[in-house]
């Protein structure tokens, strides 16, 4: 009899809520009060928010005052892009495998977008960046470069510190989407040299609907939502106090529990898939997050894999979850020069509540589904 | 011995969470999952969201597909304004007492802003609007008019249906900020003739950090946050599933329990303040929300009142809470031609958990504070 316990291996889409975060949300809901109100309830709500600000800033190794709370990483990436454009950036360099919210914000900003290419492993081409910045036209304003810390589909970790040395040298702005890296590898915003860095609560076990842009002193943010003076006048609207409280608690919990044996569990599963089905692991050879496995089995469509795994109680995804229920070929895999594999890519991602057996069960179920797929495929071949 | 129970009469800043809403948030947090994921957890998260969409749309008397979930009313008001401007509106008519998020979005949009004046009661001047639209220059694009349903500071209800008849006649766009009206008076978006209508969860007992723009078929929204295809491609970013769930539960609960005796309790308190201290009730003579009392006692500064009330355990506010802990003179009261009273205005607002004794206690505490203020004032007069 199969194990009826559903296995969730789609943390990169959304992590299950950490108990500490759920408790913090519930406590903040009970306090109520608008953090901008001067009375007791307002002050209590503000205290919750400021505690969370300290917790979240710790995750980025930054002082508390560097954190602007927003509705999520979509808004954080947009705020970085639009702030730079508002200050005269006419040309943006966006990593080829950046998240859609960064890429689409850049395209919508009115500035010219240039794509920083990645190699076959998915690692940004720093030599390209050096060459490009070396012939920068001052008429384009200060260079703005967006390079994520770790990719959402492959887990590939980018050479952000190398990029930032170049960007600094040319007086530019480096934006680092650290959404997937947070809680999985240590983040030191100053060591990374990031002018702005985006984080999302729900990717690290906090609630959905809250994120932040952490900014260095030299970064000047330009408000995109207008009205009251909340968040140092950068972001109008009553603050999401319960969401922020949950974000803080999740950030603190994820800092405490960063090390795990996840990489070994993942690699054991990947080795079985490579040995028994000849899958191609994407991003192999590059530094990767411990929790993420992206692979392709040629001819076995992503959509089919996701559905078959789901029927068997294992939740994984094809690429990012941002396309509203649609499964489409991975843009990230295409950027790595493997457009041939893009329709077959599967993403498996663990997290704080994942156990070794989850990765084992995933490999079992996937190999069984793959065998069935091969049988169906063989049956459909015309008789000789 | 004074009653130690704190009395919260600042619902217009943020309402305490309704138990139904807190439960819905907690349940959605336990489900987890990204509503855009195709697997079981994703589908469960999406089902939560779609149930809430039906609940929230009912509040506006609209079909479920008319609701776009956003991070709050600040974003909703901005989306309406920027959508109109993106479609060619070059001149915006904004009610004089609109919320700051609407007014400041309009100013930031690049379009010309004209202010629709209010009379001494705070009611929009419909004759002015008729005259202004009558000489509209087609080169300015279709007229965009923002008129809130009920004012956040005074509770004054605006003649929205009259305004919409005029706006319709001139092929324009009427945006209605219904944030404060929701859950207090019935809202029928079609009867109001609103092209877009904004709502906020936390003003009706839902969580902070979630709101909506409800749109009529004829309204075309233009996305302001770029990336994935969430919310019919109008708003990128993983949806705030727990917040949305809480919004839905609060909307449903507020629809069930709309009638109350709040107006009588409020009016009894107001009558005592008028009789014993000669306060001026702002918005008197106009239709007002049952829950809101805005008044001024000349010479007794708003800030001082708020602090003294707070020390006595009664939480009220001076104007809106949107200025990050700062108490400043009410722009709304100034627009009503009573700039002389603006530094002295106090807002008292009840809601779903308010009882008659809260209003009584408020009047007791306020009158005591006022008497002390008068004594201090008298003591400071030089001897004859």
């Amino acid at each position: 009899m199969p194990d009826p316990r559903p296995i969730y291996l789609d943390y990169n889409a959304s992590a299950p809520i950490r108990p500490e975060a759920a408790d913090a949300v519930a406590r903040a809901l009970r306090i109520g009060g608008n953090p901008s109100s001067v009375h007791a309830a307002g002050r209590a709500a503000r205290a919750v928010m400021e505690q969370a600000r300290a917790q979240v800033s710790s995750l980025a190794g930054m002082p508390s005052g560097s954190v602007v709370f927003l509705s999520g990483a979509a808004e954080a990436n947009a705020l970085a892009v639009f702030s730079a454009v508002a200050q005269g950036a006419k040309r943006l360099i966006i990593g080829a495998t950046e998240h859609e919210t960064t890429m689409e914000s850049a395209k919508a900003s009115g500035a010219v977008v240039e794509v920083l290419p990645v190699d076959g492993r998915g690692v940004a081409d720093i030599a390209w960046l050096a060459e490009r910045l070396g012939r920068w036209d001052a008429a384009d304003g200060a260079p703005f470069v967006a390079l994520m810390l770790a990719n959402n589909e492959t887990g590939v970790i980018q050479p952000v510190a190398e990029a930032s040395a170049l960007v600094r040298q040319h007086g530019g702005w480096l934006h680092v989407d650290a959404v997937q890296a947070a809680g999985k590898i240590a983040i030191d915003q100053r060591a990374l040299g990031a002018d702005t860095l985006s984080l999302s609560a729900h990717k690290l076990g906090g609630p959905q609907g809250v994120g932040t842009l952490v900014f260095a002193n030299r970064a000047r943010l330009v408000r995109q939502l207008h009205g009251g003076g909340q968040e140092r006048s950068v972001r109008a609207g009553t603050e999401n106090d319960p969401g922020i409280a949950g974000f803080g608690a999740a950030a603190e919990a994820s800092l405490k529990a960063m090390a795990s044996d996840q990489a070994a569990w993942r690699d054991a599963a990947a080795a079985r898939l490579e040995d028994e089905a000849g899958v191609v692991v994407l991003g192999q050879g590059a530094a990767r997050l411990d929790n993420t496995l992206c692979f392709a089995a040629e001819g076995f469509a992503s959509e089919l894999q996701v559905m078959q795994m789901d029927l068997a109680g294992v939740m994984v995804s094809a690429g990012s979850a941002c396309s509203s229920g649609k499964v489409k070929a991975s843009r990230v895999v295409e950027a790595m020069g493997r457009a041939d594999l893009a329709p077959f890519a599967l993403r498996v991602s663990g997290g704080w509540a994942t156990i070794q057996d989850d990765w084992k069960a995933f490999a079992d179920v996937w190999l069984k589904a793959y065998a069935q797929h091969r049988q169906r495929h063989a049956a459909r071949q015309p008789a000789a």
Side-chain angles (χ1 to χ4, degrees), chain A residues 260-271 290-291 356 359:
Chain A
S260 87
D261 298 318
Q262 193 108 210
W265 307 340
R266 173 200 62 185
D267 291 341
D290 289 353
N291 78 312
Q356 186 170 13
W359 281 100

Side-chain angles (χ1 to χ4, degrees), chain A residues 9 19 21 31 147 231 239 243 250 260 270 309 324 363:
Chain A
L9 285 171
I31 287 175
L147 185 61
E231 293 300 281
E239 299 90 341
S260 87
M309 302 293 285
S324 220

Side-chain angles (χ1 to χ4, degrees), chain A residues 370-384:
Chain A
Y370 180 72
Q372 288 169 342
H373 163 74
R374 296 283 293 174
Q375 277 173 2
R376 278 196 309 271
H377 187 73
R380 272 203 302 272
Q381 300 297 319

Side-chain angles (χ1 to χ4, degrees), chain A residues 126-298:
Chain A
I126 294 295
W128 183 96
L129 183 63
E131 188 279 331
R132 184 63 194 86
L133 292 175
R135 57 182 176 83
W136 193 260
D137 183 349
D140 284 330
F144 174 91
V145 178
L147 185 61
M148 65 198 336
L149 188 47
N151 184 263
N152 48 316
E153 297 190 23
T154 60
V156 166
I157 296 170
Q158 299 292 355
V160 167
E162 288 175 58
S164 85
L166 290 168
V167 174
R168 290 272 74 70
Q169 191 184 323
H170 292 87
W173 177 322
L174 180 70
H175 172 62
V176 176
D177 174 342
V179 165
Q180 295 292 350
K184 295 164 193 162
I185 57 174
I187 298 173
D188 181 334
Q189 184 161 353
R190 274 174 287 215
L192 290 172
D195 294 81
T196 46
L197 183 142
S198 53
L199 298 172
S200 167
H202 79 102
K203 305 292 192 191
L204 45 86
Q208 294 156 342
V210 57
T212 182
L213 192 66
V214 191
F215 59 99
N217 272 338
R218 59 185 175 273
R220 278 191 36 232
L221 305 185
V222 177
R223 65 151 62 192
Q224 302 300 312
L225 264 186
H226 308 272
Q230 291 94 345
E231 293 300 281
R232 301 169 171 239
S233 292
V234 170
R235 208 272 184 190
T238 300
E239 299 90 341
N240 177 358
D241 212 50
I244 288 168
F247 189 6
E252 187 173 291
S254 72
L255 261 177
K256 278 184 194 152
M258 208 169 286
S260 87
D261 298 318
Q262 193 108 210
W265 307 340
R266 173 200 62 185
D267 291 341
R272 286 180 60 197
L273 271 50
E274 286 174 297
D275 289 350
E276 298 176 36
V279 308
V280 176
V281 173
L282 293 148
Q284 206 153 33
R288 280 182 299 153
L289 296 178
D290 289 353
N291 78 312
T292 306
L293 173 63
C294 185
F295 67 92
E298 209 174 335

